[in-house]
mmCIF file of all heavy atoms in Angstrom:
data_model
loop_
_atom_site.group_PDB
_atom_site.id
_atom_site.type_symbol
_atom_site.label_atom_id
_atom_site.label_comp_id
_atom_site.label_asym_id
_atom_site.label_seq_id
_atom_site.Cartn_x
_atom_site.Cartn_y
_atom_site.Cartn_z
ATOM 1 N N VAL A 1 0.838 -1.203 0.000
ATOM 2 C CA VAL A 1 0.000 0.000 0.000
ATOM 3 C C VAL A 1 0.870 1.249 0.000
ATOM 4 O O VAL A 1 0.623 2.192 -0.766
ATOM 5 C CB VAL A 1 -0.973 -0.003 1.202
ATOM 6 C CG1 VAL A 1 -1.611 1.359 1.407
ATOM 7 C CG2 VAL A 1 -2.035 -1.077 1.031
ATOM 8 N N VAL A 2 1.878 1.275 0.852
ATOM 9 C CA VAL A 2 2.779 2.429 0.941
ATOM 10 C C VAL A 2 3.478 2.648 -0.395
ATOM 11 O O VAL A 2 3.586 3.785 -0.873
ATOM 12 C CB VAL A 2 3.792 2.250 2.090
ATOM 13 C CG1 VAL A 2 4.909 3.284 2.012
ATOM 14 C CG2 VAL A 2 3.081 2.307 3.438
ATOM 15 N N GLU A 3 3.930 1.582 -1.014
ATOM 16 C CA GLU A 3 4.601 1.693 -2.312
ATOM 17 C C GLU A 3 3.649 2.233 -3.376
ATOM 18 O O GLU A 3 4.006 3.133 -4.143
ATOM 19 C CB GLU A 3 5.140 0.331 -2.732
ATOM 20 C CG GLU A 3 5.933 0.356 -4.021
ATOM 21 C CD GLU A 3 6.460 -1.022 -4.377
ATOM 22 O OE1 GLU A 3 7.131 -1.640 -3.525
ATOM 23 O OE2 GLU A 3 6.194 -1.466 -5.506
ATOM 24 N N ALA A 4 2.431 1.703 -3.425
ATOM 25 C CA ALA A 4 1.447 2.169 -4.413
ATOM 26 C C ALA A 4 1.091 3.633 -4.174
ATOM 27 O O ALA A 4 0.982 4.418 -5.125
ATOM 28 C CB ALA A 4 0.185 1.302 -4.360
ATOM 29 N N ALA A 5 0.918 4.003 -2.918
ATOM 30 C CA ALA A 5 0.587 5.396 -2.589
ATOM 31 C C ALA A 5 1.747 6.330 -2.929
ATOM 32 O O ALA A 5 1.545 7.424 -3.468
ATOM 33 C CB ALA A 5 0.221 5.506 -1.112
ATOM 34 N N SER A 6 2.960 5.895 -2.633
ATOM 35 C CA SER A 6 4.142 6.707 -2.948
ATOM 36 C C SER A 6 4.277 6.921 -4.443
ATOM 37 O O SER A 6 4.669 8.009 -4.890
ATOM 38 C CB SER A 6 5.398 6.044 -2.397
ATOM 39 O OG SER A 6 5.360 6.008 -0.989
ATOM 40 N N ASP A 7 3.954 5.902 -5.225
ATOM 41 C CA ASP A 7 4.016 6.028 -6.681
ATOM 42 C C ASP A 7 3.070 7.110 -7.195
ATOM 43 O O ASP A 7 3.306 7.692 -8.254
ATOM 44 C CB ASP A 7 3.667 4.701 -7.363
ATOM 45 C CG ASP A 7 4.776 3.668 -7.244
ATOM 46 O OD1 ASP A 7 5.898 4.020 -6.794
ATOM 47 O OD2 ASP A 7 4.521 2.497 -7.588
ATOM 48 N N LYS A 8 1.994 7.377 -6.444
ATOM 49 C CA LYS A 8 1.019 8.407 -6.826
ATOM 50 C C LYS A 8 1.250 9.707 -6.063
ATOM 51 O O LYS A 8 0.394 10.572 -6.012
ATOM 52 C CB LYS A 8 -0.410 7.910 -6.582
ATOM 53 C CG LYS A 8 -0.791 6.687 -7.384
ATOM 54 C CD LYS A 8 -0.884 7.000 -8.858
ATOM 55 C CE LYS A 8 -1.356 5.760 -9.621
ATOM 56 N NZ LYS A 8 -1.473 6.015 -11.035
ATOM 57 N N LYS A 9 2.442 9.828 -5.463
ATOM 58 C CA LYS A 9 2.877 11.047 -4.773
ATOM 59 C C LYS A 9 2.082 11.372 -3.512
ATOM 60 O O LYS A 9 1.868 12.541 -3.169
ATOM 61 C CB LYS A 9 2.865 12.263 -5.718
ATOM 62 C CG LYS A 9 3.590 12.048 -7.025
ATOM 63 C CD LYS A 9 5.058 11.801 -6.806
ATOM 64 C CE LYS A 9 5.774 11.726 -8.157
ATOM 65 N NZ LYS A 9 6.859 10.792 -8.166
ATOM 66 N N ALA A 10 1.623 10.336 -2.795
ATOM 67 C CA ALA A 10 0.962 10.558 -1.510
ATOM 68 C C ALA A 10 1.953 11.211 -0.547
ATOM 69 O O ALA A 10 3.164 11.047 -0.667
ATOM 70 C CB ALA A 10 0.466 9.233 -0.937
ATOM 71 N N GLU A 11 1.408 11.950 0.400
ATOM 72 C CA GLU A 11 2.224 12.668 1.363
ATOM 73 C C GLU A 11 1.914 12.197 2.777
ATOM 74 O O GLU A 11 0.826 11.706 3.055
ATOM 75 C CB GLU A 11 1.947 14.170 1.251
ATOM 76 C CG GLU A 11 2.276 14.722 -0.128
ATOM 77 C CD GLU A 11 1.847 16.166 -0.320
ATOM 78 O OE1 GLU A 11 1.077 16.685 0.512
ATOM 79 O OE2 GLU A 11 2.272 16.765 -1.313
ATOM 80 N N ASP A 12 2.884 12.381 3.661
ATOM 81 C CA ASP A 12 2.733 12.098 5.087
ATOM 82 C C ASP A 12 2.058 10.747 5.330
ATOM 83 O O ASP A 12 0.998 10.654 5.942
ATOM 84 C CB ASP A 12 1.959 13.225 5.770
ATOM 85 C CG ASP A 12 2.097 13.175 7.292
ATOM 86 O OD1 ASP A 12 3.008 12.474 7.793
ATOM 87 O OD2 ASP A 12 1.286 13.809 7.973
ATOM 88 N N ILE A 13 2.702 9.698 4.853
ATOM 89 C CA ILE A 13 2.170 8.338 4.986
ATOM 90 C C ILE A 13 2.559 7.791 6.362
ATOM 91 O O ILE A 13 3.720 7.861 6.764
ATOM 92 C CB ILE A 13 2.724 7.418 3.883
ATOM 93 C CG1 ILE A 13 2.393 7.984 2.498
ATOM 94 C CG2 ILE A 13 2.176 6.005 4.037
ATOM 95 C CD1 ILE A 13 3.103 7.286 1.348
ATOM 96 N N LEU A 14 1.563 7.257 7.050
ATOM 97 C CA LEU A 14 1.766 6.738 8.391
ATOM 98 C C LEU A 14 1.151 5.344 8.473
ATOM 99 O O LEU A 14 0.007 5.144 8.063
ATOM 100 C CB LEU A 14 1.077 7.665 9.396
ATOM 101 C CG LEU A 14 1.200 7.349 10.865
ATOM 102 C CD1 LEU A 14 2.639 7.539 11.333
ATOM 103 C CD2 LEU A 14 0.271 8.263 11.649
ATOM 104 N N VAL A 15 1.907 4.381 8.976
ATOM 105 C CA VAL A 15 1.389 3.031 9.220
ATOM 106 C C VAL A 15 1.375 2.838 10.729
ATOM 107 O O VAL A 15 2.396 3.002 11.398
ATOM 108 C CB VAL A 15 2.268 1.948 8.550
ATOM 109 C CG1 VAL A 15 1.716 0.561 8.843
ATOM 110 C CG2 VAL A 15 2.359 2.181 7.042
ATOM 111 N N MET A 16 0.188 2.495 11.252
ATOM 112 C CA MET A 16 0.011 2.306 12.690
ATOM 113 C C MET A 16 -0.429 0.874 12.978
ATOM 114 O O MET A 16 -1.293 0.345 12.282
ATOM 115 C CB MET A 16 -1.041 3.277 13.231
ATOM 116 C CG MET A 16 -0.693 4.726 13.016
ATOM 117 S SD MET A 16 -1.990 5.827 13.616
ATOM 118 C CE MET A 16 -1.695 5.714 15.380
ATOM 119 N N ASN A 17 0.136 0.285 14.011
ATOM 120 C CA ASN A 17 -0.266 -1.048 14.444
ATOM 121 C C ASN A 17 -1.418 -0.883 15.435
ATOM 122 O O ASN A 17 -1.209 -0.545 16.602
ATOM 123 C CB ASN A 17 0.901 -1.778 15.092
ATOM 124 C CG ASN A 17 0.542 -3.179 15.529
ATOM 125 O OD1 ASN A 17 -0.629 -3.535 15.627
ATOM 126 N ND2 ASN A 17 1.552 -3.978 15.799
ATOM 127 N N VAL A 18 -2.626 -1.131 14.973
ATOM 128 C CA VAL A 18 -3.822 -0.950 15.800
ATOM 129 C C VAL A 18 -4.329 -2.275 16.372
ATOM 130 O O VAL A 18 -5.398 -2.319 16.982
ATOM 131 C CB VAL A 18 -4.948 -0.225 15.020
ATOM 132 C CG1 VAL A 18 -4.526 1.195 14.661
ATOM 133 C CG2 VAL A 18 -5.357 -1.001 13.780
ATOM 134 N N SER A 19 -3.581 -3.340 16.198
ATOM 135 C CA SER A 19 -4.046 -4.675 16.597
ATOM 136 C C SER A 19 -4.319 -4.804 18.096
ATOM 137 O O SER A 19 -5.142 -5.621 18.496
ATOM 138 C CB SER A 19 -3.052 -5.748 16.152
ATOM 139 O OG SER A 19 -1.816 -5.582 16.816
ATOM 140 N N GLU A 20 -3.651 -4.011 18.902
ATOM 141 C CA GLU A 20 -3.847 -4.095 20.357
ATOM 142 C C GLU A 20 -4.941 -3.171 20.862
ATOM 143 O O GLU A 20 -5.348 -3.275 22.016
ATOM 144 C CB GLU A 20 -2.529 -3.772 21.081
ATOM 145 C CG GLU A 20 -1.412 -4.746 20.780
ATOM 146 C CD GLU A 20 -1.710 -6.163 21.247
ATOM 147 O OE1 GLU A 20 -2.283 -6.322 22.341
ATOM 148 O OE2 GLU A 20 -1.375 -7.111 20.502
ATOM 149 N N VAL A 21 -5.426 -2.265 20.009
ATOM 150 C CA VAL A 21 -6.422 -1.286 20.466
ATOM 151 C C VAL A 21 -7.776 -1.427 19.774
ATOM 152 O O VAL A 21 -8.732 -0.761 20.168
ATOM 153 C CB VAL A 21 -5.892 0.163 20.330
ATOM 154 C CG1 VAL A 21 -4.723 0.393 21.273
ATOM 155 C CG2 VAL A 21 -5.502 0.485 18.903
ATOM 156 N N THR A 22 -7.866 -2.278 18.746
ATOM 157 C CA THR A 22 -9.134 -2.489 18.056
ATOM 158 C C THR A 22 -9.124 -3.836 17.344
ATOM 159 O O THR A 22 -8.057 -4.373 17.044
ATOM 160 C CB THR A 22 -9.433 -1.364 17.041
ATOM 161 O OG1 THR A 22 -10.727 -1.565 16.470
ATOM 162 C CG2 THR A 22 -8.400 -1.311 15.934
ATOM 163 N N THR A 23 -10.293 -4.341 17.072
ATOM 164 C CA THR A 23 -10.409 -5.580 16.295
ATOM 165 C C THR A 23 -10.707 -5.289 14.827
ATOM 166 O O THR A 23 -10.869 -6.212 14.040
ATOM 167 C CB THR A 23 -11.518 -6.475 16.869
ATOM 168 O OG1 THR A 23 -12.765 -5.770 16.832
ATOM 169 C CG2 THR A 23 -11.195 -6.888 18.293
ATOM 170 N N ILE A 24 -10.764 -4.032 14.466
ATOM 171 C CA ILE A 24 -11.090 -3.637 13.092
ATOM 172 C C ILE A 24 -10.052 -4.149 12.098
ATOM 173 O O ILE A 24 -10.391 -4.630 11.025
ATOM 174 C CB ILE A 24 -11.203 -2.101 12.979
ATOM 175 C CG1 ILE A 24 -12.358 -1.594 13.839
ATOM 176 C CG2 ILE A 24 -11.365 -1.656 11.537
ATOM 177 C CD1 ILE A 24 -12.399 -0.090 13.971
ATOM 178 N N ALA A 25 -8.790 -4.018 12.460
ATOM 179 C CA ALA A 25 -7.688 -4.374 11.559
ATOM 180 C C ALA A 25 -6.418 -4.515 12.381
ATOM 181 O O ALA A 25 -6.385 -4.150 13.558
ATOM 182 C CB ALA A 25 -7.507 -3.298 10.492
ATOM 183 N N ASP A 26 -5.374 -5.019 11.738
ATOM 184 C CA ASP A 26 -4.062 -5.066 12.377
ATOM 185 C C ASP A 26 -3.303 -3.755 12.168
ATOM 186 O O ASP A 26 -2.611 -3.285 13.063
ATOM 187 C CB ASP A 26 -3.228 -6.220 11.828
ATOM 188 C CG ASP A 26 -3.757 -7.576 12.272
ATOM 189 O OD1 ASP A 26 -4.444 -7.643 13.314
ATOM 190 O OD2 ASP A 26 -3.491 -8.570 11.572
ATOM 191 N N LEU A 27 -3.418 -3.216 10.960
ATOM 192 C CA LEU A 27 -2.680 -2.006 10.615
ATOM 193 C C LEU A 27 -3.595 -0.987 9.948
ATOM 194 O O LEU A 27 -4.466 -1.356 9.150
ATOM 195 C CB LEU A 27 -1.528 -2.328 9.665
ATOM 196 C CG LEU A 27 -0.461 -3.292 10.177
ATOM 197 C CD1 LEU A 27 0.483 -3.694 9.047
ATOM 198 C CD2 LEU A 27 0.325 -2.677 11.323
ATOM 199 N N PHE A 28 -3.388 0.278 10.267
ATOM 200 C CA PHE A 28 -4.004 1.386 9.545
ATOM 201 C C PHE A 28 -2.897 2.055 8.744
ATOM 202 O O PHE A 28 -1.790 2.262 9.260
ATOM 203 C CB PHE A 28 -4.568 2.446 10.490
ATOM 204 C CG PHE A 28 -5.936 2.162 11.041
ATOM 205 C CD1 PHE A 28 -6.649 1.023 10.717
ATOM 206 C CD2 PHE A 28 -6.516 3.073 11.912
ATOM 207 C CE1 PHE A 28 -7.902 0.792 11.239
ATOM 208 C CE2 PHE A 28 -7.766 2.845 12.437
ATOM 209 C CZ PHE A 28 -8.470 1.709 12.105
ATOM 210 N N VAL A 29 -3.200 2.405 7.510
ATOM 211 C CA VAL A 29 -2.326 3.251 6.717
ATOM 212 C C VAL A 29 -3.091 4.552 6.522
ATOM 213 O O VAL A 29 -4.196 4.560 5.986
ATOM 214 C CB VAL A 29 -1.964 2.620 5.357
ATOM 215 C CG1 VAL A 29 -1.062 3.563 4.567
ATOM 216 C CG2 VAL A 29 -1.304 1.265 5.542
ATOM 217 N N ILE A 30 -2.499 5.647 6.981
ATOM 218 C CA ILE A 30 -3.110 6.972 6.887
ATOM 219 C C ILE A 30 -2.205 7.810 6.001
ATOM 220 O O ILE A 30 -0.988 7.834 6.179
ATOM 221 C CB ILE A 30 -3.253 7.613 8.278
ATOM 222 C CG1 ILE A 30 -4.073 6.693 9.199
ATOM 223 C CG2 ILE A 30 -3.892 8.992 8.173
ATOM 224 C CD1 ILE A 30 -4.067 7.113 10.658
ATOM 225 N N LEU A 31 -2.806 8.495 5.021
ATOM 226 C CA LEU A 31 -2.006 9.268 4.078
ATOM 227 C C LEU A 31 -2.807 10.437 3.548
ATOM 228 O O LEU A 31 -4.030 10.497 3.711
ATOM 229 C CB LEU A 31 -1.531 8.371 2.933
ATOM 230 C CG LEU A 31 -2.626 7.670 2.131
ATOM 231 C CD1 LEU A 31 -3.033 8.494 0.934
ATOM 232 C CD2 LEU A 31 -2.164 6.291 1.715
ATOM 233 N N SER A 32 -2.109 11.349 2.903
ATOM 234 C CA SER A 32 -2.749 12.527 2.331
ATOM 235 C C SER A 32 -2.387 12.694 0.866
ATOM 236 O O SER A 32 -1.305 12.285 0.430
ATOM 237 C CB SER A 32 -2.288 13.798 3.067
ATOM 238 O OG SER A 32 -2.642 13.758 4.417
ATOM 239 N N GLY A 33 -3.310 13.312 0.146
ATOM 240 C CA GLY A 33 -3.072 13.794 -1.207
ATOM 241 C C GLY A 33 -3.390 15.280 -1.215
ATOM 242 O O GLY A 33 -4.081 15.779 -0.317
#
């Protein structure tokens, strides 16, 4: 995901490990365009 987003010039990419605080997912990727 980070690689694909970077290829499209995404900015301020953040990957967070949310596995201990929610059951929604293991990782969130937050980014801006």
